[in-house]
Amino acid sequence: MNITTTQHNTFLHEWLQQIKTKVNFIPDKILVEALQYLEEQGIPDIKNEVYRYIPIENILKRHFKKIITQTSSNKIKPTIQFTNFNQIILSEHYNDISFIKESGISIFQSNNIPVELAEYIGKSQLHQNDFFAALNTAYCENFIVVCIEKSLQYPLHIHHILTSVSNFSQNRILFLVNHNIELTVFETYQTENLSHPYLYNVL
C-alpha cells in the first residue's frame, strides 16, 4: 500500500517519511483513514480548541525533528505478573507477550489477535478526530488486546517502562470488556536511563 502523506506542511511530510508506513495488525481501511486525516488536517495549531495552548509543531521541531527508533540492546524483557493485584509490565517494545489467561484476563499481542477480536480495531474512530490518535493508528509499532471476562477483585495495573535509546514510540492497547463487569485500570510510566525528550504516544 502506497500512501502519500501530507504535502501542505513540509515539516510534517518530511517528519513522517522517517517512519515505516505499514503495520500488519491495523485493517487497511482504518490505516487509510488515519493517514488521510494526517494528510488533510496536519498538525493541530492554536485554532484547535483542544490544543489551543500547546504549540505542538514547535515542540516537534525543537525536540523530535529527527526520529530515532533504534532500540537498546539491554531493554527490559516484558513480563506479565499476577500477584496481590493484576499487573501488566510493558517495556517499550512488548512484542514478546504471548497469550495469557488468568483471573478473567486474556491478553493477545499483535501477531496473534483472533479474527473475531480484530474487527474491533479502530471502531472507536478516534483516528478520525485527533492528530495523536491518527498518528498512533497509522504508525503504531506494538498492539495488544486485553479482554476482561469477569469482574476483577484487584485493580489492573499497566506499567510502561521506557528503556530504549529511541525517542519515538507509538503503542496501543485495546480493552474489550464484557457487559456488567466492574474493574479499575490504572497506568504508570517509568523511564530507565533516558537523557533526552521522548515522544511516547500510547492509545
Side-chain angles (χ1 to χ4, degrees):
M1 177 188 308
N2 294 319
I3 299 291
T4 302
T5 53
T6 184
Q7 298 291 334
H8 72 271
N9 185 313
T10 302
F11 167 73
L12 180 59
H13 176 68
E14 294 176 351
W15 191 64
L16 295 180
Q17 293 304 305
Q18 301 179 61
I19 319 169
K20 292 186 297 185
T21 59
K22 174 60 178 170
V23 288
N24 295 324
F25 41 86
I26 298 293
D28 285 350
K29 177 180 180 294
I30 304 300
L31 184 61
V32 168
E33 290 175 352
L35 289 168
Q36 285 179 339
Y37 181 91
L38 294 174
E39 177 182 356
E40 295 170 2
Q41 302 298 323
I43 300 173
D45 56 24
I46 58 175
K47 295 178 182 178
N48 185 302
E49 184 65 26
V50 176
Y51 300 108
R52 61 182 302 183
Y53 300 113
I54 308 174
I56 295 174
E57 185 165 351
N58 290 340
I59 293 172
L60 296 180
K61 286 180 176 179
R62 180 176 180 181
H63 298 290
F64 303 104
K65 188 172 183 178
K66 182 179 180 181
I67 295 174
I68 303 171
T69 57
Q70 178 183 353
T71 57
S72 172
S73 59
N74 61 350
K75 64 185 180 184
I76 298 175
K77 183 177 180 180
T79 59
I80 298 177
Q81 299 177 350
F82 297 92
T83 53
N84 58 334
F85 57 91
N86 306 302
Q87 183 179 51
I88 303 174
I89 300 179
L90 305 177
S91 70
E92 177 199 350
H93 293 277
Y94 43 86
N95 50 6
D96 290 330
I97 291 178
S98 57
F99 169 76
I100 302 290
K101 188 178 182 69
E102 185 161 336
S103 302
I105 305 173
S106 300
I107 300 175
F108 303 88
Q109 68 183 81
S110 54
N111 63 357
N112 71 349
I113 299 174
V115 175
E116 64 271 18
L117 300 184
E119 67 174 296
Y120 293 101
I121 297 175
K123 278 204 168 182
S124 66
Q125 299 184 343
L126 293 173
H127 60 277
Q128 297 180 5
N129 301 288
D130 180 79
F131 171 78
F132 289 104
L135 185 68
N136 179 285
T137 302
Y139 299 107
C140 64
E141 303 154 11
N142 300 293
F143 195 117
I144 65 170
V145 176
V146 180
C147 299
I148 310 296
E149 299 160 0
K150 63 181 182 181
S151 294
L152 302 182
Q153 180 180 0
Y154 302 105
L156 174 60
H157 175 202
I158 300 180
H159 185 55
H160 302 256
I161 303 177
L162 311 184
T163 62
S164 171
V165 296
S166 302
N167 69 351
F168 181 88
S169 286
Q170 307 291 313
N171 296 325
R172 190 177 185 119
I173 304 172
L174 172 62
F175 289 95
L176 298 176
V177 184
N178 284 0
H179 289 291
N180 301 319
I181 293 296
E182 293 185 2
L183 73 151
T184 299
V185 178
F186 68 97
E187 296 178 88
T188 54
Y189 296 82
Q190 174 186 344
T191 61
E192 294 284 345
N193 301 319
L194 288 183
S195 58
H196 52 75
Y198 200 111
L199 178 56
Y200 186 64
N201 182 29
V202 61
L203 183 64

